[in-house]
Amino acid sequence: MTLRRNVAATMLAAAAAAVLSAGCTQVEEAVNKGGDTPCSEYTDQDADKKRITVTKYLDEDRDGSPERETVDLAIAAIDLMCGAQANPDTPIREADLSGILVPK
């Protein structure tokens, strides 16, 4: 009987962890500033959060979700701009993405 309880408890814990981890991404996307994110916040983000931020920024200005390659190139351009930016309050939307993005 104890083995069944342990298995059930383990399965319940795994299911709860999966739900919580999926919820964190949705919460992050909801509170993320997208293109209004200042370089100071952007540079402190890990790779996953940068991808969420840049994807949200690109979604703000265009119809439909951007392709993965477009997001990768935009991240590189924004990393370059924020690395060279003297003003940490500059929003990431000021990065020069011409040539990377297809116009509307």
Side-chain angles (χ1 to χ4, degrees):
M1 198 58 127
T2 305
L3 179 60
R4 286 185 184 169
R5 285 186 196 160
N6 288 342
V7 170
T10 302
M11 290 175 58
L12 182 60
V19 168
L20 289 174
S21 66
C24 291
T25 301
Q26 292 171 348
V27 170
E28 177 63 33
E29 289 173 2
V31 299
N32 191 291
K33 297 177 188 174
D36 294 327
T37 302
C39 280
S40 59
E41 288 180 24
Y42 177 81
T43 56
D44 289 341
Q45 294 178 345
D46 64 22
D48 291 334
K49 287 184 182 177
K50 283 183 179 182
R51 179 165 295 284
I52 291 169
T53 299
V54 172
T55 301
K56 183 171 182 175
Y57 159 49
L58 296 175
D59 280 344
E60 292 169 356
D61 293 337
R62 287 154 188 82
D63 293 330
S65 296
E67 294 181 13
R68 183 172 183 85
E69 182 178 277
T70 301
V71 174
D72 291 340
L73 293 170
I75 288 171
I78 294 167
D79 282 345
L80 182 64
M81 181 200 72
C82 287
Q85 188 57 249
N87 182 355
D89 295 327
T90 300
I92 65 168
R93 74 173 61 256
E94 291 187 18
D96 182 11
L97 301 179
S98 58
I100 294 175
L101 305 174
V102 178
K104 287 184 181 179

